[in-house]
Amino acid sequence: MSIPSRVQIIDVGPRDGLQNEKSPVPAEVKLGLVHRLQEAGLQEIEVTSFVSPKWVPQMADNLEVMAGLERKHGVRYSVLTPNLQGYTAAVKTHPDEIVVFGSASEAFSRKNINCSIAESIERFAPVVEAALAAGLAVRGAMSCTVGCPYEGEVAPQQVAYLAGLMKGIGVQRVDVADTIGVGTPRTVQRAIEATLQHYGIDEVSGHFHDTYGQALANTLAALELGVWNFQSSVAGLGGCPYAKGATGNVSTEDLVFMLHGMGIETGIDLDKLVDAGAYISDYLGRKPNSRVAVALLNKRA
Ligand code: HMG
Ligand code: MG
């Protein structure tokens, strides 16, 4: 199979990235980031999550962030909703897509959303039904598809099982997430192949954390299978609060640099993307966690 000529990127920085920041980031700064990302050409942005503020305090300003969005035509804004309570609050803010999030590992499901995999699907089912009835798109994030911080290696069969459950309740597309970044090209390919038992190639995206520096290699491995949807965080922000030691997603800057270098279109302006990453990194008082961003910023200086 030849690799795709175009890739669609969802920047998850405002949500997956910022959720792990210890000090509160003001809604205004989050909005500044979202607006710079859309200015850079991102067509999909994961804006926030409607989860318990006791569990993830950083996302407690979800209403304010959604209310402050200056929506750009053609951009899809998504939000995480773990249950009907989250969905009910989220739907009033008019997201384009809601994201239910499950895990291929039982232990991570319990740590992250306080229920078993089977229970999580029971909670997601009415959310998915309501969202589809309201005309919203529905995505399912599948965590720990390669490794789990509590259970170790995760078998492809567990990924296929979760993908089948997601399909069964009507989730339209799914993310194969390597939450703790332990995947390497062949293990990631096996997780994707397991997902392809239930979803078509156009409905599968790669969500690779770069904890062990494998995310670009894993992206290439996914491209080789024909995957053309990926998630990344501007400035390499992030990590998951329930996956100790896990660092951010692959940075959007590194991903775009690699894809453009391969002649793959993304619709993203790398210079403007670097500006977006510099904006949030300046606010956080550190350098972007992106080799490409640092190189380009050094070149500018
Ligand atoms: P729970 O405690 O089992 O929920 O939490 P509950 O239904 O028993 O309710 C307990 C309390 O939470 C109640 O409040 C509810 O009102 C409140 P109290 O009466 O005690 O004051 N509550 C909520 N509040 C706001 N929004 C809601 C909501 N639901 C209940 N939606 C729950 C279950 C899922 C809510 C909780 O475990 C939670 O919020 N977990 C946070 C999960 C999270 O955000 N994790 C990070 C995102 S996932 C991720 O990063 C991975 C991903 O990037 C892919 C990858 O890399 O793997 C997507
Ligand atoms: Mg993640």
Side-chain angles (χ1 to χ4, degrees):
M1 135 105 57
S2 63
I3 62 167
S5 57
R6 189 180 172 281
V7 155
Q8 177 84 357
I9 297 177
I10 307 182
D11 199 293
V12 296
R15 195 283 305 170
D16 203 357
L18 294 180
Q19 73 180 6
N20 212 33
E21 288 298 325
K22 295 285 167 285
S23 327
V25 176
E28 192 192 320
V29 174
K30 292 172 179 162
L31 286 163
L33 177 61
V34 171
H35 296 150
R36 281 167 177 80
L37 288 171
Q38 62 192 24
E39 208 37 53
L42 265 301
Q43 288 181 327
E44 295 199 49
I45 304 174
E46 205 169 87
V47 180
T48 185
S49 57
F50 287 81
V51 299
S52 162
K54 285 185 194 145
W55 286 60
V56 186
Q58 187 64 257
M59 297 287 116
D61 59 0
N62 43 31
L63 292 175
E64 196 184 343
V65 172
M66 289 302 285
L69 276 184
E70 286 164 23
R71 291 171 200 249
K72 187 174 168 186
H73 183 73
V75 176
R76 179 183 274 196
Y77 304 94
S78 54
V79 301
L80 265 59
T81 53
N83 53 20
L84 262 183
Q85 188 176 339
Y87 173 76
T88 306
V91 73
K92 295 184 187 127
T93 70
H94 306 293
D96 300 298
E97 180 176 59
I98 60 108
V99 184
V100 292
F101 49 108
S103 168
S105 108
E106 279 294 345
F108 188 78
S109 180
R110 288 184 187 281
K111 293 278 183 189
N112 194 39
I113 50 175
N114 205 23
C115 61
S116 69
I117 296 171
E119 284 162 347
S120 74
I121 294 296
E122 278 171 34
R123 290 181 189 182
F124 300 155
V127 173
V128 174
E129 194 186 335
L132 293 175
L136 303 183
V138 177
R139 178 155 56 87
M142 303 196 297
S143 290
C144 297
T145 60
V146 182
C148 166
Y150 310 103
E151 289 179 10
E153 263 176 50
V154 172
Q157 291 86 321
Q158 288 171 255
V159 181
Y161 169 69
L162 177 63
L165 292 175
M166 290 272 190
K167 186 80 187 182
I169 58 169
V171 170
Q172 294 167 318
R173 57 176 184 157
V174 286
D175 314 332
V176 177
D178 180 11
T179 313
I180 54 172
V182 291
T184 47
R186 298 294 171 244
T187 56
V188 163
Q189 283 183 335
R190 285 197 283 274
I192 293 169
E193 280 160 354
T195 307
L196 291 172
Q197 291 175 26
H198 300 282
Y199 282 92
I201 196 74
D202 298 342
E203 300 154 350
V204 173
S205 64
H207 176 118
F208 307 135
H209 285 259
D210 201 28
T211 319
Y212 290 85
Q214 304 299 301
L216 283 182
N218 293 341
T219 301
L220 185 56
L223 285 167
E224 280 173 1
L225 293 182
V227 172
W228 58 277
N229 285 280
F230 291 94
Q231 290 152 26
S232 56
S233 276
V234 67
L237 295 170
C240 176
Y242 300 100
K244 203 166 183 289
T247 57
N249 293 81
V250 64
S251 74
T252 310
E253 297 92 318
D254 288 11
L255 180 60
V256 167
F257 185 86
M258 180 183 93
L259 294 171
H260 288 184
M262 293 173 71
I264 298 172
E265 271 176 48
T266 65
I268 294 169
D269 179 325
L270 183 56
D271 266 321
K272 288 186 180 168
L273 180 64
V274 168
D275 292 340
Y279 163 81
I280 191 66
S281 301
D282 284 349
Y283 175 80
L284 297 169
R286 57 179 190 242
K287 279 189 180 175
N289 190 11
S290 156
R291 302 279 280 267
V292 166
V294 170
L296 291 176
L297 288 167
N298 285 343
K299 209 166 134 186
R300 281 185 195 174

